[in-house]
Amino acid sequence: MTSDAARRDIRARRLAAQRLTGPSASGPEQVVGELLAVQSQDAPLARLGIALRAGCHTDAVVAAIDAGRLVRTHVLRPTWHYVLATDLPWLLELTSPRVVSGMASRHRQLGLDDPALVARALDALAARLADGPLTRQQLQARLVERGTLAVDPLLGQRMGHLLLLAELDGLIASGPLAGREHTYRLWDAPAPGRDREDAIAELTRRFFAHHGPASIADLMRWVRLNKREISTAIELLGNRLAHTDADGVRLYFDPDAPPPDPRPRAHLLSTFDEAFLTYRDVPWPRSGGHPSGDAPYRWAESGGGPILLDLADAGSWRRTERPGRLTVRLDLAALSASGRREVALAARRVADALSAPGTQIDLEESPR
């Protein structure tokens, strides 16, 4: 049976590996490069998670996106991620075939199981983007105008999956932001130039180096690879990975990883943050008096994410933005005065990373 002290050490090392404690990254590109892919269906909060790890404002993350150094696209599994543009070619080659095959049933339901039909639609997408980046709604309107897509109850879903297929095929990628919306642009994907065994080893190394200590099961949830492929990669990596055991489960990590740092004690994490949702083994325990009790989070209603304090789940937060004003509302477990002060400091870091100069910042705590 793994001791509580050993569990705390594992959690502390995870925060350090993900740059939530210890030295910040040099910029958004280093954060995304180390994590390899940052889950981003909630794009603004994903950008916040990157900014917090780099000690910068979210504007710096937007600048990296607008410059094309970071790309938001479907890769690893059927959801959006931010990835480095330089990593995207080999990640697509490695993971796209299984992502596409895994959606075959859904594509039959949407009428996208005809290769000729999909090819015509993708050609139409490319033609529409030849003059520059467009938003999803702009693309959809133009495909409807040309008769490529019919207006029916499935139009929006069909459009989303066509864009997903175009991304997985390396035809398009995200472009500069248009206000709060991502755009799409044509992407001339360079040849990956990496064999599959080497690509799996590189993915495995970077995952465990910057998410570890983590298990093979954690990695299999993160990417569409099987246990045999991952186990082979671990053997190839040899002493580039170290391991420890927790309750009979082997957890892998970088042997040269920096030691865990106790500061800061509190973290307001973005929804779907890599530090919170990655781990099946040795998960984050809940603090006493947690406002959600034993009930799971309902992230679609959160607008924020979990709060970690002293290596435990201490509640959740929600942000509300209005012109010139940002409110961060905290829903906390039963914490000491010291704990509440640490959470307030973390909330201030979030507000500073999100808000423009001159913004009024309000921190509120839900009544108990």
Side-chain angles (χ1 to χ4, degrees):
M1 184 72 174
T2 302
S3 69
D4 288 343
R7 290 174 178 274
R8 288 180 60 81
D9 179 67
I10 287 168
R11 296 185 188 106
R13 285 195 277 163
R14 287 170 175 172
L15 292 182
Q18 294 215 16
R19 290 195 181 272
L20 287 166
T21 61
S24 296
S26 61
E29 293 88 342
Q30 184 179 3
V31 174
V32 176
E34 288 180 350
L35 292 174
L36 191 57
V38 176
Q39 194 168 332
S40 62
Q41 60 265 58
D42 189 328
L45 289 184
R47 295 195 291 271
L48 170 64
I50 295 168
L52 291 174
R53 288 165 167 85
C56 66
H57 195 276
T58 52
D59 285 350
V61 185
V62 172
I65 295 165
D66 288 348
R69 297 189 298 273
L70 298 185
V71 177
R72 181 176 183 250
T73 192
H74 284 85
V75 71
L76 300 188
R77 55 188 190 275
T79 193
W80 277 291
H81 289 86
Y82 283 121
V83 300
L84 288 179
T86 51
D87 280 328
L88 185 54
W90 68 268
L91 286 175
L92 284 176
E93 183 178 59
L94 178 62
T95 65
S96 289
R98 288 185 185 172
V99 176
V100 172
S101 64
M103 294 186 295
S105 175
R106 182 58 181 147
H107 287 165
R108 284 193 296 272
Q109 295 170 357
L110 293 172
L112 297 178
D113 54 337
D114 180 351
L117 182 151
V118 171
R120 289 194 300 272
L122 297 189
D123 285 345
L125 274 177
R128 300 288 75 75
L129 290 170
D131 295 328
L134 294 170
T135 66
R136 172 173 168 163
Q137 290 303 315
Q138 289 170 331
L139 281 168
Q140 180 173 297
R142 296 192 183 191
L143 292 189
V144 168
E145 287 172 7
R146 297 298 181 91
T148 306
L149 291 179
V151 177
D152 61 28
L154 293 177
L155 171 61
Q157 297 178 55
R158 194 173 288 120
M159 182 67 195
H161 279 261
L162 282 172
L163 290 169
L164 178 150
L165 288 171
E167 290 174 323
L168 292 171
D169 195 44
L171 176 67
I172 66 173
S174 64
L177 270 74
R180 292 177 176 268
E181 291 188 74
H182 279 271
T183 63
Y184 293 89
R185 62 181 171 88
L186 287 178
W187 190 54
D188 185 15
R194 175 173 260 167
D195 66 46
R196 183 174 178 82
E197 188 175 81
D198 176 65
I200 294 173
E202 176 65 6
L203 181 147
T204 299
R205 183 192 66 80
R206 280 159 77 175
F207 175 83
F208 287 127
H210 300 290
H211 293 78
S215 67
I216 290 177
D218 292 330
L219 178 49
M220 289 175 64
R221 292 170 63 210
W222 193 74
V223 65
R224 291 287 177 89
L225 294 175
N226 62 46
K227 186 174 182 178
R228 177 185 57 78
E229 291 171 316
I230 295 169
S231 297
T232 298
I234 290 171
E235 290 180 11
L236 289 172
L237 290 167
N239 61 10
R240 298 179 72 186
L241 291 179
H243 62 80
T244 187
D245 291 335
D247 296 327
V249 177
R250 182 145 292 184
L251 306 178
Y252 296 90
F253 60 94
D254 179 359
D256 298 321
D261 194 317
R263 305 294 302 182
R265 288 171 54 196
H267 309 272
L268 271 63
L269 300 182
S270 61
T271 304
F272 309 111
D273 191 280
E274 297 286 321
F276 194 76
L277 293 186
T278 297
Y279 308 107
R280 187 190 72 173
D281 300 293
V282 193
W284 301 102
R286 283 190 171 175
S287 300
H290 194 285
S292 297
D294 295 328
Y297 283 112
R298 301 177 69 180
W299 294 122
E301 299 175 5
S302 174
I307 298 171
L308 298 184
L309 173 67
D310 295 333
L311 305 177
D313 174 3
S316 61
W317 66 281
R318 182 193 304 260
R319 58 62 167 105
T320 303
E321 297 179 73
R322 297 189 295 276
R325 188 168 190 170
L326 172 67
T327 301
V328 178
R329 190 171 185 84
L330 308 170
D331 196 11
L332 298 174
L335 303 180
S336 66
S338 171
R340 288 198 300 275
R341 284 194 298 271
E342 290 291 334
V343 171
L345 290 172
R348 177 61 62 170
R349 291 194 297 273
V350 163
D352 289 344
L354 286 172
S355 58
T359 300
Q360 179 178 330
I361 297 172
D362 299 322
L363 303 183
E364 299 178 356
E365 189 172 331
S366 298
R368 294 186 57 80

